[in-house]
Amino acid sequence: MTNKTMPEQNKALVLEAFDTLFNKRDYDAAARFWSDSYIQHSAHIESGREGLFNLIKSIPPTLKYEPGLIVADGDFVILHGRFSGFGPPVNWIVADIVRIENGLLAEHWDVIQDEATREQSKSGNPMFGDTFP
């Protein structure tokens, strides 16, 4: 029996799933985190778990995912992170929204922004973390 609450378990699950897929590129292990009936709402990813995995397989191995703020409420986890090294000259700052069902990532939405440089930031603050890339 674990001492973690369900939101803490869901946050840990999503962090491990993202690291396994995006950073380790271990598709067999990642399949244990994503539901067979995974629902994808992202405009740039084909439907289903295989759509997501195929996208990652098509991206250079230099892809890196850095998690930031993570919040959970019930079956939902929202993760604010940075994707870098995937091809375009600018990193993406992403808010990923994941619904958990039966201990698996079952559904996904995202909001994506290009990361601003220090020169582009009118606030003078980085969009992710404490420093500019």
Side-chain angles (χ1 to χ4, degrees):
M1 179 132 170
T2 178
N3 291 330
K4 288 185 179 179
T5 65
M6 188 57 68
E8 288 174 330
Q9 290 172 350
N10 287 344
K11 289 192 286 188
L13 173 76
V14 172
L15 286 169
E16 188 175 358
F18 275 42
D19 186 53
T20 300
L21 179 62
F22 301 125
N23 294 327
K24 295 177 181 169
R25 309 285 282 256
D26 185 340
Y27 301 101
D28 290 336
R32 295 193 310 262
F33 294 101
W34 271 268
S35 169
D36 288 339
S37 57
Y38 179 68
I39 301 168
Q40 180 63 259
H41 296 277
S42 181
H44 65 279
I45 305 173
E46 291 179 15
S47 187
R49 178 173 73 186
E50 289 309 310
L52 174 61
F53 289 11
N54 288 338
L55 171 70
I56 303 309
K57 289 174 184 176
S58 75
I59 292 175
T62 50
L63 171 70
K64 180 180 178 187
Y65 178 74
E66 301 168 74
L69 177 68
I70 183 168
V71 294
D73 184 24
D75 294 334
F76 290 90
V77 175
I78 301 173
L79 185 56
H80 185 248
R82 174 193 283 143
F83 286 91
S84 60
F86 59 95
V90 64
N91 298 334
W92 279 358
I93 305 302
V94 180
D96 286 289
I97 304 158
V98 180
R99 183 177 61 82
I100 307 299
E101 183 177 278
N102 299 321
L104 297 171
L105 284 70
E107 196 165 6
H108 171 265
W109 301 259
D110 58 28
V111 181
I112 301 171
Q113 292 180 283
D114 287 349
E115 185 170 20
T117 63
R118 182 181 305 279
E119 296 74 30
Q120 295 166 329
S121 175
K122 292 186 184 213
S123 70
N125 295 313
M127 294 174 68
F128 182 83
D130 296 328
T131 58
F132 287 90

